[in-house]
Structures are given as C-alpha cells and as structure tokens.
Amino acid sequence: MQIFKKWQFKKSIHFNESIAGYEWLCMDIGTENMKARYVNTGLRFDEPSYIAEDYEKNRIYFGEEAKSLVDKTNENIIIKRPVRDGNIADPRALEKILMRIFDYFKISKATKKRLIVIMATPSDINPVQRQALESIVTKLGAYRGFVQEEVKMAALGAGQDIFGTSIMSVDIGGGSADIAVISKDSILHSLSSHCAGDYLTEQIREYILRTKNVHVGLKDAEDLKKAIASLVPGPNERPYRISGLLIPKDSSKSGEVLSVSKTVSITPEEIREVMQHEFREHIIPSIRKVLRLSVSKALGSIGDLKKLGKGITISGGGAYIKGIDKFIQEELAKEYHFETYDEMGNVVSEEVYEGDEFEVRCSEDPLYDVINGCVKYRDEIYREILEEKKFNVILSNSKRNTQRLKR
C-alpha cells in the first residue's frame, strides 16, 4: 500500500493541478447560429450557421454573407445548413465551420494540445453523431471534445441550479424545442419537438400563401415573425406589410390581368392565431408529457418544481416571442384530455387531467444561455478528466504490480 501511494504521488505531478492548466473553447452548435467562446482570452464568435458554396467561382461564403444569399441565388450557389431540425444534417459542412472557428481564434498547435472543447447540441442527436463531433475537434488538434445537451446547458446558463433538485428547462431554438426536467445534473426525462423557429416561420409562409395567395421568401417571413409574432395581445400592435410572388387562384379567368408580385398587410392577430395553434398542438402537450413521465420516475420532482424560484425557464430565441411565458402558464393550468392509441392508430383510452399552476419565466439573456452554461460547466468536465487520469494511474499501477508478481 505504501509503494502504491508513493508511486501515485510521483505520477500526480504530471496532472494539470488547476482548471487554468487547460485551454477552454465552448461552443453552442445551433440550427440558426453558431456561437463560440474562447474562455482563456475572452474572445467570442457568433455567426449564422450557414455555408454557401459557389461552384462557378470556386468560393465559399460563411455566416451573414451566406445567409444573405437565401432565396437570392442561382443554381451555381448551393446554400447548406449543417444542423437542421435538431440533427447534424451535413457533417462536412459542420467541420468547415468548426475549422473557421479554430482559425478565427488563432489557436496555435502547441495550445491545441491543452485545448478542451465543450460542445452543446440538441438533445436529439444520436451517439454516432456525438462521436463524430468529438472526432472532428480532435482531428482539428484539440486535446479532448465533450458533447453536452443544449437544454441542460441552457438551464445552467439561465441561472438555474441543475445540480440541485428538479427544475424544468424549455429551450426553443431554430430547429428544435428541447424540453427536460433536470435533477442532480441528470435529465429525468426529455423530449424534443420540431415546433421551433424554422417550423414556425414555415407555418407563417404557408398561412400567407393559403389566405393571401402570395408566396413570400424565407427571410421575409422570418423578419415578419420577429416583428409581430406573439402569443398574447399586446399594446400598439400594427399590421406588417410583406411582398412576394402572386400565385393565381384556381378561379382566375383567362385574360384576367394579374401582377407578378404583390404586397399584402398581415395583422398581428392573424400571426397570433397561427402561433397559438402550433403551440397548443406541439409545445404544450410536450411539456405536459415530460412533466407526467418525470413524475412517474421521481414522485418528489413535482413538489420541487412547484417551489418558489423553480418552475419552468424558457431559453433560446423562442423566449423573445411576446407573451410566451404567460401563454404557457395559462395553458398548463387548463384541463386537458390525454388519449392512448394502439398500433393501428385507434384510440384505446381517453383520460381527463386537471391543469396545474407552475411558475414560468423567460431567461434574461436567452440567446446566450447555452454558451454561458458551457462556460460554467467547465468545473464538471475538469473533474471528469481528473477522475479518468486517476483511474488510468491505478490501472497502470495494477498492471505493473501484476507483471512484477509474475516475474
């Protein structure tokens, strides 16, 4: 035993005894935006998650420059989004963005040997995609790569205590809405919904096409959503004018004069109806399901969620939807029906549940909750690295002792 302790002490001098002994790069790999923070220098990176490849001129555009080309290019320019609907859709394009981030921070080869990269991703990515992400950063020269769930990092970044008793986080991003109940740094249950920024924008486009016969661009619909989208009525609401391609009605007669483009006015009430419908169809049922399944796993979690200062915290771009906290709170308090289906899609049973009141709040800095959470989570990653090193020392020592005994 004394030999083991002496040998272990000798080996421990090779450990980085402080968290400052490493270089730390935190990333929020989002559908709409890619954020990164080089903690040791304080430098930041924040660009849209877009790549445009011009095969005619053999050029590649990134970030804002690439996003500005959406709906404005010919077939020679292909616009790619590495992350779509909460999944990694194009690993090669993602690798190019990560290379751009490494180049942006000018990380030297020597520094990379001590570089630890913490990447926050949507909850829906599978183990193969997680491993691919870790492989990409190590391929770029980093010492280690760690993948964490965005919804957990968002809760930590929003100021919630993920290491204590149960809290609920709702992270509504561009490609997915991740909902989870978190307790003691573990996710009791989580669910991912496609009802997020991109989906809501597409629903607004479809509404305008269906009711106004005008096909509007993706960027124009997104600007409209940011300007007037809401879930509850607000003061000083005004119509929004938007232009697009006029689609002739089926009832239009031959010889009738038509215009190529048309500008229409959309009222906040119209968009609010679209938003409320989608939230009642997707977000509210998902929150209820996560609550129900989390309570079935840990009965005490519901009591923790009801405590003052706990409840539900909304992060991500969705937190900027006007009245989202009030709307979710009111909807959860309503009575609702839960139906069970068989394999054929037939209703097997229908149960009626009473609503319940929860404290619902929006984060103060929702767009940066995930990246802030990654920065705060460094202590846990550092502990994990130390535990791995201690285990390797014990394992190596055990092998040496075994070899000595054999001799």
Side-chain angles (χ1 to χ4, degrees):
M1 190 68 181
Q2 290 178 352
I3 296 172
F4 169 74
K5 284 185 177 179
K6 183 179 179 182
W7 184 85
Q8 190 180 29
F9 175 78
K10 185 179 178 181
K11 282 287 182 181
S12 68
I13 61 173
H14 298 293
F15 292 171
N16 282 304
E17 297 296 343
S18 167
I19 193 172
Y22 293 98
E23 300 291 314
W24 296 89
L25 178 60
C26 299
M27 294 186 188
D28 175 10
I29 300 177
T31 303
E32 186 63 28
N33 285 283
M34 193 78 64
K35 298 181 180 70
R37 189 176 300 172
Y38 192 4
V39 181
N40 299 66
T41 63
L43 293 175
R44 303 185 180 199
F45 178 94
D46 188 356
E47 283 189 359
S49 305
Y50 288 76
I51 289 181
E53 296 183 349
D54 189 338
Y55 292 99
E56 186 178 23
K57 297 180 181 178
N58 196 25
R59 288 188 62 185
I60 299 179
Y61 305 93
F62 292 92
E64 288 287 356
E65 195 174 10
K67 187 178 180 180
S68 65
L69 298 174
V70 174
D71 294 333
K72 300 175 184 178
T73 62
N74 56 27
E75 63 277 4
N76 294 323
I77 299 178
I78 306 298
I79 297 175
K80 298 178 179 180
R81 298 180 66 183
V83 185
R84 294 299 298 266
D85 302 326
N87 282 285
I88 298 174
D90 194 333
R92 290 185 178 180
L94 181 58
E95 185 174 352
K96 289 178 182 178
I97 292 181
L98 295 183
M99 286 177 64
R100 176 174 168 81
I101 292 173
F102 272 58
D103 292 340
Y104 175 82
F105 290 124
K106 296 181 174 62
I107 304 173
S108 67
K109 192 173 181 179
T111 302
K112 286 179 182 178
K113 293 179 180 179
R114 295 179 288 111
L115 180 66
I116 297 172
V117 184
I118 304 175
M119 296 166 284
T121 63
S123 302
D124 256 9
I125 73 164
N126 56 50
V128 176
Q129 291 175 327
R130 282 172 175 263
Q131 190 174 1
L133 271 175
E134 292 172 359
S135 298
I136 288 173
V137 295
T138 52
K139 180 183 174 183
L140 293 173
Y143 169 62
R144 288 288 297 275
F146 292 87
V147 176
Q148 298 294 324
E149 296 92 342
E150 277 183 347
V151 65
K152 190 166 79 169
M153 295 299 99
L156 182 60
Q160 293 295 296
D161 181 14
I162 66 171
F163 307 104
T165 53
S166 300
I167 53 101
M168 174 174 262
S169 175
V170 179
D171 180 26
I172 304 177
S176 65
D178 294 332
I179 303 158
V181 170
I182 305 162
S183 177
K184 301 294 182 183
D185 196 23
S186 296
I187 293 178
L188 285 178
H189 189 77
S190 67
L191 199 63
S192 186
S193 171
H194 65 275
C195 184
D198 290 347
Y199 175 80
L200 293 171
T201 301
E202 196 58 44
Q203 294 306 304
I204 290 171
R205 291 180 74 193
E206 289 183 9
Y207 171 81
I208 296 172
L209 179 60
R210 185 174 65 252
T211 59
K212 313 293 184 182
N213 289 96
V214 175
H215 190 51
V216 300
L218 186 66
K219 183 69 167 59
D220 296 326
E222 187 179 344
D223 291 340
L224 180 150
K225 181 185 69 177
K226 290 178 179 178
I228 65 171
S230 65
L231 286 164
V232 297
N236 304 321
E237 293 185 331
R238 295 180 180 179
Y240 187 94
R241 292 175 63 82
I242 188 169
S243 301
L245 176 67
L246 178 64
I247 306 298
K249 297 180 181 179
D250 295 335
S251 59
S252 60
K253 300 176 183 179
S254 178
E256 186 177 345
V257 178
L258 298 171
S259 62
V260 175
S261 63
K262 187 177 181 180
T263 301
V264 294
S265 291
I266 308 295
T267 64
E269 290 82 4
E270 291 178 280
I271 302 303
R272 186 156 49 245
E273 287 181 8
V274 175
M275 301 286 286
Q276 288 178 346
H277 172 76
E278 298 303 331
F279 266 70
R280 287 183 177 126
E281 285 289 315
H282 303 288
I283 300 296
I284 301 301
S286 296
I287 293 175
R288 285 171 173 159
K289 186 174 181 179
V290 170
L291 285 170
R292 188 170 59 252
L293 294 175
S294 297
V295 171
S296 67
K297 290 181 180 179
L299 286 173
S301 60
I302 192 70
D304 293 327
L305 286 169
K306 300 283 286 182
K307 292 177 181 176
L308 186 66
K310 295 275 187 176
I312 302 169
T313 304
I314 306 168
S315 299
Y320 286 108
I321 300 173
K322 301 176 186 71
I324 186 173
D325 50 348
K326 184 180 179 182
F327 178 81
I328 290 177
Q329 189 171 35
E330 290 176 351
E331 289 296 312
L332 291 178
K334 294 178 181 178
E335 183 182 276
Y336 67 99
H337 295 257
F338 179 73
E339 297 175 343
T340 306
Y341 299 88
D342 60 17
E343 295 178 356
M344 303 298 293
N346 301 315
V347 178
V348 176
S349 63
E350 183 177 355
E351 300 168 334
V352 180
Y353 287 82
E354 291 183 2
D356 202 355
E357 292 185 359
F358 292 91
E359 184 181 347
V360 183
R361 73 188 71 80
C362 291
S363 170
E364 294 181 0
D365 196 12
L367 290 179
Y368 294 93
D369 283 343
V370 174
I371 197 74
N372 290 336
C374 289
V375 174
K376 292 180 180 179
Y377 203 70
R378 287 177 300 147
D379 289 338
E380 294 303 310
I381 298 295
Y382 177 63
R383 289 192 190 99
E384 185 177 335
I385 291 172
L386 286 185
E387 289 300 319
E388 286 181 3
K389 286 191 172 187
K390 288 177 183 178
F391 176 78
N392 291 334
V393 166
I394 295 170
L395 185 63
S396 177
N397 183 54
S398 178
K399 287 181 178 179
R400 288 191 178 189
N401 287 338
T402 303
Q403 289 173 357
R404 287 173 184 174
L405 289 173
K406 285 181 180 180
R407 290 174 187 173

